[in-house]
Amino acid sequence: LGVAFQEALEANGEPLYELVCGPGYLWLTSALLGVLSAKGPASTEQHADTVGSLAAGITLPVWRARCAFAWQLSLADASERGCGQSAYLYNLAVCDLVKPLQGTSLLECLLESEAFAAVEAVTMPVLHTWRNSKGRLLGGP
């Protein structure tokens, strides 16, 4: 059963690290938050509307980002330098939280304008690069 969870949690061709304990919990969390579907979400726009999510609430984008971040750290070759990163998970953990394609960011509502401007200044160049890179953010895991 653990092997089935590991295969289901492969993201953009990046396998889950084989020594991750309890991959079923990560899979279940991903499914409940709408991060995971049968074979991955169809588009980034779905994430903005949280289609497929059984959870709801104003803080849902934060929990989806936390789940995607934990999943990203669980990939076999992931590093903080970007090696082995999944564009799909990066989109959930950063793009959808800081500057979604549609609507207002939750962070924009929660942070003071100066703090949000600082976050946006650091992340926007990376977000533009990822969004403009031949649809890498559109495909699911």
Side-chain angles (χ1 to χ4, degrees):
L1 187 60
V3 174
F5 284 128
Q6 285 184 335
E7 289 174 0
L9 290 170
E10 183 176 299
N12 296 119
E14 298 292 335
L16 195 69
Y17 183 56
E18 64 219 22
L19 297 179
V20 168
C21 294
Y25 294 113
L26 179 59
W27 179 87
L28 180 61
T29 303
S30 300
L32 290 174
L33 294 173
V35 174
L36 180 71
S37 67
K39 216 34 189 161
S43 71
T44 304
E45 286 76 24
Q46 283 186 341
H47 299 300
D49 298 333
T50 64
V51 171
S53 173
L54 296 175
I58 192 167
T59 60
L60 183 58
V62 173
W63 290 105
R64 291 168 55 86
R66 289 178 60 117
C67 178
F69 181 73
W71 186 356
Q72 181 71 62
L73 292 178
S74 301
L75 295 179
D77 294 324
S79 74
E80 63 278 353
R81 295 223 172 248
C83 229
Q85 299 284 327
S86 163
Y88 169 72
L89 295 175
Y90 180 83
N91 182 48
L92 285 171
V94 179
C95 299
D96 286 358
L97 188 59
V98 176
K99 203 70 166 176
L101 290 174
Q102 299 172 347
T104 304
S105 162
L106 176 65
L107 285 183
E108 198 170 356
C109 297
L110 296 176
L111 297 177
E112 293 180 10
S113 59
E114 294 169 359
F116 182 74
V119 169
E120 195 175 30
V122 171
T123 56
M124 285 312 291
V126 178
L127 300 182
H128 288 307
T129 301
W130 282 73
R131 283 185 175 155
N132 297 330
S133 61
K134 299 182 183 174
R136 291 176 67 190
L137 296 179
L138 297 179

